[in-house]
Amino acid sequence: MASTKIHAIYTDDDILMQAVKDTRAKHYHIEEVFTPFPVHGLDKAMGLPHTRLAVTSFLYGLVGLTVAILMMNFIMIEDWPQNIGGKPSFSFLENLPAFIPIMFELTVFFAAHLMVITFYLRSRLWPFKKAENPDVRTTDDLFLMEVLVENNNIEEMAQFFKNTGALEVNLINK
């Protein structure tokens, strides 16, 4: 199914922010915004929901902590208890002060590595994937707002984006 989009190109991030706010007020559907650098507050201006990545990071950290506790209990207490430096090997709680650095490191390790994997899967960044950037100038110095036309008047939308300060307004049929 073909969809028609308008690409409005801006030269300044402040002009882009105001254009995003005006576009949302006009009830046009912003598909995506491409910027050469992160623009503070753009996600809120676009109306994007809050991310749940912090919750997943916490859960991944708990998985790492659980693996660390189970691994150290099995290796150092149950399977092969050893007297190292006169420290007791009778229970996990007696050795807890020595185990804290290992638990911390594995918590951070699991959280960091699983978050990277989650980020790549969520962003659909597969190995050898082609870039989906519609205009290469957005990697240098321009900002692009991609808006769906849907059932709106194309000429009216183009004039609206020109009035918001767009340098170029291009109609894209895909």
Side-chain angles (χ1 to χ4, degrees):
M1 181 176 171
S3 65
T4 306
K5 298 176 183 177
I6 287 184
H7 287 175
I9 298 175
Y10 297 90
T11 56
D12 187 35
D13 57 338
D14 293 328
I15 297 171
L16 172 73
M17 282 291 286
Q18 188 58 47
V20 166
K21 291 174 186 174
D22 294 344
T23 304
R24 290 229 356 176
K26 196 87 163 152
H27 300 292
Y28 293 145
H29 178 69
I30 300 172
E31 187 71 20
E32 188 66 71
V33 176
F34 297 90
T35 63
F37 54 84
V39 178
H40 179 70
L42 184 61
D43 52 346
K44 188 180 284 188
M46 288 178 62
L48 297 176
H50 290 285
T51 181
R52 294 182 304 265
L53 287 178
V55 174
T56 59
S57 178
F58 178 73
L59 293 175
Y60 293 154
L62 287 179
V63 168
L65 181 64
T66 304
V67 167
I69 289 170
L70 293 174
M71 177 190 73
M72 290 183 302
N73 187 53
F74 177 74
I75 292 172
M76 299 298 291
I77 306 301
E78 294 175 16
D79 186 42
W80 196 296
Q82 296 182 23
N83 187 352
I84 300 171
K87 294 183 180 175
S89 299
F90 306 118
S91 72
F92 185 82
L93 291 177
E94 288 177 319
N95 289 310
L96 189 62
F99 291 161
I100 287 176
I102 300 167
M103 292 188 301
F104 172 76
E105 291 297 330
L106 280 177
T107 300
V108 172
F109 179 83
F110 270 71
H113 285 79
L114 291 175
M115 281 302 296
V116 168
I117 293 168
T118 301
F119 172 75
Y120 283 141
L121 291 174
R122 183 75 178 103
S123 301
R124 295 185 181 101
L125 291 174
W126 317 117
F128 310 108
K129 182 181 179 191
K130 295 262 187 195
E132 294 178 0
N133 195 346
D135 193 336
V136 251
R137 297 177 295 171
T138 60
T139 62
D140 188 24
D141 62 347
L142 295 179
F143 304 84
L144 185 140
M145 180 169 38
E146 188 176 73
V147 181
L148 286 178
V149 172
E150 295 173 331
N151 297 327
N152 301 310
N153 184 352
I154 295 172
E155 291 81 23
E156 180 184 318
M157 286 182 75
Q159 187 58 43
F160 168 77
F161 289 116
K162 283 284 189 190
N163 293 340
T164 61
L167 178 70
E168 295 177 25
V169 178
N170 302 321
L171 184 65
I172 307 295
N173 290 316
K174 285 189 180 182

